[in-house]
Amino acid sequence: MMSSFKRRFLLFSGFILLLILGFSIAVFLNTDFWALQNSPFESSKLNILVVGYDSLVNGSPRADTIILASIDLKTKDVGLLSIPRDTRVDIPGHGMNRVNASHAFGGIELTDKTLELFLDVPIDYYVETNFNGFAKMVDALGGVEINVSQPFHYVDKAGDLYIDLPAGQQVLNGDEALQYVRYRESIEGDIGRVARQQKFIKAMFKKVLRPDIVMKLPGIYTEVKKTVNTNIPLQDISPFIHLLKDMDMNDFKTIMLPGQPKYINGASYWLADEKELDVVVNNLIRSKEFIRNSRICLGIYNGNGQVGLAGQVSDQLGKYGFVIDRIANADHYNYQETRIKYYDRANEVTALNIQKVLGGKVIYEKSTGEGEKAAANKEDISIIIGNDYNKASEDEITG
């Protein structure tokens, strides 16, 4: 089982950027591009399922990596929801099982349908590739330069995995890039691997945006067509042109499906936390509030004396993507009503949304200059929790 786990192919968002860029430029260079006057998308939010799978070795391939990418074509925000392959879901026609089994049962189409039902969101398109496809695309790009922090060595003969990378600044070819993103050390495990993947994403994105890469786009496009299976119609790719032109890595928000590991009938699964999952899906996939919230710093203050109250509210609002800049006691504990103070008119809607979660009163307080944060703590919105928060919590429980 450990061997199988270490063979996991963790595909990531850099791939989808490469894919979209390759298709987009091919369309852009086509004379028919100029006839595409209007965006074909009904909504500015586009959900794309990205799946990475192993080659056919021991029967039908199971999905090793599953990412739902949600792109806002107007704001250029990108939300990435990583779905562990052991997530327990109801697969249509097959019952409860790990989500990666859906790929073996019915290919990418069944995985797509399974996740639409599980997450209760529409999935517009899907994209899938295997190990070899990923490596070939990196080679077509001319490799990716990255600083390998330490030597990586690992051999798994049963899993046909051989990793041997020296430390230092270097240009990784496709096979080496695959080794880099698949390596899982014994100490940090997946945490270290995720950090490396994020590092590789930035390096790949930087390479894709280099002016000289235009000369290699025909080769990249050729590899994309040969190694990728997608249901994205060619004419639907053109609206991504403007999105990619101004894309910023800071507009990416990556979240793993919330939950915990659990054994059921002797088999290990990842069980989703339904309440937290609903919050993440609402804000990351159904809307882009989660991403916008991640740019807002909050100060949370205990104004009624209940022990641990500010930390409790911090955890609650953190699920909506906010950055918690400060947790502290208020100047006194006699606040009867929760106060939500904002200092920039641009944050009024956000403050009103927080009011929907916590209750209380929204107050605009002009800072030293419009657009400036609270002078004391550099926060965008200050929240003082009053006694009405306890009452609201009790009503939620008893109601």
Side-chain angles (χ1 to χ4, degrees):
M1 181 176 179
M2 182 61 72
S3 172
S4 174
F5 181 77
K6 289 190 175 183
R7 292 176 64 242
R8 181 179 303 179
F9 175 45
L10 293 178
L11 192 67
F12 42 86
S13 60
F15 160 71
I16 196 169
L17 289 174
L18 180 59
L19 169 75
I20 293 173
L21 185 64
F23 271 118
S24 298
I25 298 300
V27 175
F28 182 75
L29 295 176
N30 191 307
T31 56
D32 292 336
F33 170 78
W34 300 106
L36 302 175
Q37 299 291 326
N38 301 314
S39 170
F41 303 118
E42 296 180 0
S43 170
S44 64
K45 298 166 187 174
L46 190 69
N47 295 330
I48 302 176
L49 176 63
V50 183
V51 171
Y53 64 93
D54 202 348
S55 302
L56 283 166
V57 178
N58 298 313
S60 300
R62 295 191 171 215
D64 285 328
T65 297
I66 304 170
I67 295 175
L68 184 59
S70 185
I71 306 171
D72 191 314
L73 298 174
K74 292 181 179 179
T75 67
K76 302 178 179 63
D77 290 329
V78 178
L80 300 170
L81 178 63
S82 296
I83 302 166
R85 65 177 186 174
D86 291 339
T87 301
R88 193 166 189 262
V89 298
D90 188 359
I91 302 175
H94 299 273
M96 301 302 295
N97 206 325
R98 296 185 180 94
V99 66
N100 68 341
S102 63
H103 196 274
F105 293 148
I108 186 67
E109 291 83 4
L110 184 56
T111 301
D112 185 297
K113 183 177 180 181
T114 298
L115 288 173
E116 279 195 333
L117 295 173
F118 176 65
L119 299 174
D120 192 25
V121 295
I123 297 177
D124 302 287
Y125 300 117
Y126 60 73
V127 177
E128 66 171 349
T129 191
N130 58 18
F131 287 174
N132 294 332
F134 170 78
K136 287 180 179 179
M137 280 188 285
V138 173
D139 284 335
L141 190 61
V144 174
E145 184 175 2
I146 202 161
N147 185 15
V148 181
S149 60
Q150 65 185 54
F152 292 157
H153 301 291
Y154 178 76
V155 175
D156 178 6
K157 294 182 179 179
D160 192 29
L161 177 58
Y162 301 88
I163 296 177
D164 185 17
L165 292 176
Q169 190 79 18
Q170 54 198 289
V171 177
L172 302 182
N173 62 28
D175 180 66
E176 292 165 340
L178 194 56
Q179 293 179 43
Y180 184 79
V181 300
R182 292 178 71 189
Y183 182 74
R184 181 179 183 271
E185 69 271 33
S186 58
I187 299 177
E188 292 187 334
D190 279 336
I191 295 176
R193 181 158 53 181
V194 167
R196 280 191 300 278
Q197 291 165 0
Q198 292 173 341
K199 182 178 177 181
F200 192 85
I201 289 172
K202 293 179 180 179
M204 175 179 271
F205 191 68
K206 182 179 180 180
K207 181 66 177 285
V208 167
L209 295 181
R210 274 173 36 177
D212 63 319
I213 205 63
V214 173
M215 300 298 295
K216 298 181 179 180
L217 285 176
I220 296 173
Y221 181 55
T222 299
E223 291 302 331
V224 167
K225 289 196 298 182
K226 290 192 301 185
T227 61
V228 167
N229 174 35
T230 179
N231 65 344
I232 303 178
L234 192 62
Q235 68 270 17
D236 282 6
I237 300 297
S238 58
F240 288 118
I241 292 279
H242 301 293
L243 174 73
L244 289 166
K245 183 178 66 175
D246 301 321
M247 187 75 77
D248 187 339
M249 286 299 295
N250 294 323
D251 292 329
F252 279 60
K253 189 67 177 181
T254 304
I255 300 293
M256 190 178 82
L257 187 145
Q260 61 182 350
K262 188 172 183 179
Y263 276 88
I264 299 177
N265 297 326
S268 63
Y269 294 93
W270 182 261
L271 289 187
D273 182 313
E274 294 184 4
K275 187 174 181 179
E276 291 193 18
L277 176 60
D278 191 53
V279 170
V280 168
V281 170
N282 273 334
N283 293 282
L284 191 68
I285 305 300
R286 295 192 183 105
S287 76
K288 294 295 164 288
E289 293 175 3
F290 195 103
I291 298 171
R292 287 191 284 272
N293 291 348
S294 68
R295 301 167 186 155
I296 302 293
C297 290
L298 303 182
I300 301 176
Y301 302 90
N302 187 336
N304 73 13
Q306 179 184 339
V307 176
L309 180 64
Q312 176 184 333
V313 173
S314 172
D315 291 340
Q316 184 178 9
L317 293 179
K319 294 177 181 178
Y320 294 88
F322 290 106
V323 175
I324 311 302
D325 180 71
R326 181 178 171 85
I327 299 175
N329 292 323
D331 55 340
H332 61 77
Y333 291 145
N334 296 322
Y335 285 93
Q336 298 303 310
E337 185 177 42
T338 295
R339 301 183 183 183
I340 303 167
K341 297 192 291 184
Y342 64 101
Y343 309 95
D344 184 336
R345 292 290 188 186
N347 293 327
E348 181 179 8
V349 172
T350 301
L352 290 171
N353 286 336
I354 293 175
Q355 182 188 38
K356 294 176 183 178
V357 177
L358 303 180
K361 181 180 182 181
V362 173
I363 302 170
Y364 170 66
E365 185 174 293
K366 189 174 181 179
S367 188
T368 54
E370 185 71 13
E372 295 185 11
K373 297 183 179 182
N377 303 307
K378 307 300 181 184
E379 60 213 31
D380 297 292
I381 297 175
S382 302
I383 302 170
I384 301 177
I385 307 300
N387 287 320
D388 59 338
Y389 177 78
N390 287 341
K391 180 63 167 60
S393 300
E394 292 172 4
D395 290 343
E396 182 178 347
I397 295 173
T398 58

